[in-house]
Amino acid sequence: MTIKIGILGYGNLGRGVEAAVKMNGDLELKAVYTRRDPSQLKINTEGVPVKSTAELDKGNEDIDILVICGGSATDLPAMTPKYAALYNVIDSFDTHANIPVHFENVDKAAKAAGKVGIISCGWDPGMFSVNRLYSTAILPCGEAYTFWGKGVSQGHSDAVRRIDGVLDCRQYTIPVPAALERVRNGENPELTTREKHTRECFVVAEEGADLERIENEIKTMPNYFSDYDTTVHFITAEEMARDHSGLPHGGSVIYSGTSSEGTKHVIEYSLKLDSNPEFTGSVLAAYARAAVRLNKEGKTGAMTVFDIAPAYLSAIPADELRAHYL
């Protein structure tokens, strides 16, 4: 079965999903949808149309699932419930504090339409979430620690770009080395958010913009920067292109637990990513496959990575999975 994919939004993440579709023989890119003028957008896949979101709104596009590649700050809270009422959908919503509300909104729309909507799918939330859950289930007496970076956070960079007067931003998340070492040593330290990571922003501002205001808005932004020690650098567009054109990222989930008194275990899952959006796009592609399969089985409503068995992600038949991967 070939799964027909639509991509909404053609920024870094949209291009990452496009690249992932090319790597999977059972996936086919049917269209890219944009809020921009479609005639002005050139994509990397020959023969695939670029369409206006107005076409999506009609609800009759020939796609099995819509991969929504907007920002978590303002796009996805509106887009995902809207399109879950029309199509199977998937997003990478990453504002952890707001996931329960986003889930409920998508669940209501998807159930009413008989569709599946997978939210918060990527590597964190996403693959890191699964590993936190597995570790906690296996060793209930323990503590999970998540470290991100050093790398570019797409969601945080996008949130800064939404500030009035900001033209561009790269936000780097940086683990505090001393905290990382203590966790790997099995010390189970109590660490505040501020003690685990720092954040560093490189910002291109509009000419004449109030830099002090922009810096204050960044540092006080709830859910993104207010709980961290954040450094803001204002740079030129030329410096951004020269020094910050890549989008690397990564991190670790480290779980330190015990199975009996005095018997310790440390579980670590880590990622080192050349391209944050391409890896996130690859996760979205795998879970898009799962969403379509589940909907064909009659499942509806919102789901997260917690709700989906691993076999649904793979294009490999179940008997081959058992023979070669188990």
Side-chain angles (χ1 to χ4, degrees):
M1 179 185 73
T2 299
I3 295 171
K4 294 175 284 189
I5 304 285
I7 297 174
L8 172 55
Y10 196 70
N12 293 321
L13 182 55
R15 288 189 290 273
V17 174
E18 180 186 33
V21 169
K22 290 180 179 180
M23 301 296 287
N24 288 273
D26 65 326
L27 306 183
E28 177 189 1
L29 181 60
K30 291 292 289 186
V32 170
Y33 301 91
T34 180
R35 291 174 290 185
R36 293 178 269 175
D37 178 355
S39 67
Q40 301 301 308
L41 184 61
K42 179 173 175 54
I43 67 173
N44 294 324
T45 307
E46 291 292 332
V48 171
V50 178
K51 298 184 177 185
S52 167
T53 52
E55 297 300 313
L56 268 183
D57 294 349
K58 298 174 183 177
N60 56 8
E61 287 296 287
D62 182 26
I63 56 175
D64 293 313
I65 187 164
L66 181 67
V67 185
I68 305 177
C69 300
S72 295
T74 57
D75 291 335
L76 297 179
M79 285 180 170
T80 309
K82 173 183 177 179
Y83 291 110
L86 300 171
Y87 308 96
N88 294 317
V89 297
I90 185 168
D91 74 19
S92 58
F93 184 78
D94 67 355
T95 308
H96 291 260
N98 294 337
I99 285 174
V101 170
H102 187 55
F103 182 94
E104 291 299 324
N105 291 338
V106 175
D107 189 53
K108 182 178 179 181
K111 279 180 177 172
K115 303 296 183 182
V116 165
I118 300 179
I119 69 156
S120 301
C121 188
W123 58 275
D124 198 2
M127 304 312 297
F128 275 15
S129 312
V130 171
N131 281 275
R132 285 189 288 263
L133 178 57
Y134 277 143
S135 299
T136 305
I138 293 164
L139 296 173
C141 296
E143 189 73 35
Y145 300 86
T146 304
F147 293 92
W148 305 286
K150 179 182 180 180
V152 176
S153 168
Q154 295 176 96
H156 286 71
S157 298
D158 178 71
V160 174
R161 284 193 289 268
R162 302 302 176 100
I163 294 174
D164 186 44
V166 172
L167 295 175
D168 200 2
C169 174
R170 294 291 184 279
Q171 192 276 171
Y172 292 87
T173 304
I174 306 167
V176 175
L180 193 57
E181 191 62 27
R182 290 183 66 193
V183 171
R184 282 185 171 142
N185 288 338
E187 295 180 25
N188 283 26
E190 289 188 14
L191 298 170
T192 65
T193 298
R194 198 174 300 274
E195 289 173 325
K196 290 196 293 182
H197 297 89
T198 59
R199 297 193 181 277
E200 191 168 15
C201 299
F202 292 85
V203 178
V204 179
E206 294 177 358
E207 186 175 351
D210 184 342
L211 303 187
E212 186 175 338
R213 173 189 58 78
I214 291 172
E215 181 171 355
N216 183 64
E217 284 193 38
I218 293 171
K219 291 183 173 181
T220 59
M221 189 183 297
N223 300 324
Y224 284 89
F225 297 100
S226 59
D227 293 331
Y228 300 85
D229 289 334
T230 302
T231 305
V232 179
H233 308 277
F234 290 98
I235 62 174
T236 65
E238 291 75 20
E239 289 173 309
M240 181 70 78
R242 184 191 69 205
D243 301 331
H244 304 282
S245 60
L247 292 168
H249 215 331
S252 303
V253 173
I254 305 172
Y255 189 87
S256 179
T258 59
S259 55
S260 62
E261 188 173 350
T263 305
K264 291 185 176 182
H265 311 277
V266 177
I267 303 168
E268 181 167 351
Y269 174 81
S270 66
L271 296 172
K272 297 176 181 63
L273 312 176
D274 278 352
S275 170
N276 183 355
E278 286 197 16
F279 186 81
T280 301
S282 298
V283 178
L284 283 164
Y287 277 91
R289 176 185 294 117
V292 173
R293 288 175 169 177
L294 287 161
N295 189 237
K296 287 185 181 299
E297 291 178 3
K299 303 293 194 300
T300 65
M303 298 180 186
T304 73
V305 294
F306 294 152
D307 305 308
I308 298 167
Y312 280 90
L313 308 179
S314 178
I316 300 170
D319 57 344
E320 288 188 37
L321 288 176
R322 288 188 292 271
H324 301 293
Y325 291 85
L326 194 58

